[in-house]
Amino acid sequence: MPSAMTLKGLLCIAAFGFCLAPLNVNAQGYPSRSITVVVPFPAGGPSDVVARIVTDHTAGRLATR
């Protein structure tokens, strides 16, 4: 009969293996659909300009992945 220490070690190794199992799953491409950005200020203002610059940069980054 295995000792309690050996059984505990085997249990820890099994738990660690189960934690790593989901890492092998292939995820779907992100984003799978378009992202909508809502700017709650009028068009043409500074917030709108910054939002357009940020979304253009983000779209370029997401397209290359």
Side-chain angles (χ1 to χ4, degrees):
M1 182 148 179
S3 68
M5 202 59 143
T6 306
L7 190 58
K8 187 176 181 180
L10 288 174
L11 185 60
C12 287
I13 291 171
F16 183 70
F18 283 124
C19 290
L20 291 179
L23 296 177
N24 293 331
V25 177
N26 292 329
Q28 295 178 354
Y30 179 81
S32 59
R33 57 190 174 113
S34 62
I35 299 173
T36 302
V37 177
V38 178
V39 180
F41 296 103
S47 299
D48 180 51
V49 173
V50 170
R52 289 175 190 263
I53 292 169
V54 169
T55 53
D56 286 341
H57 179 71
T58 305
R61 296 273 307 204
L62 288 175
T64 59
R65 292 184 178 186

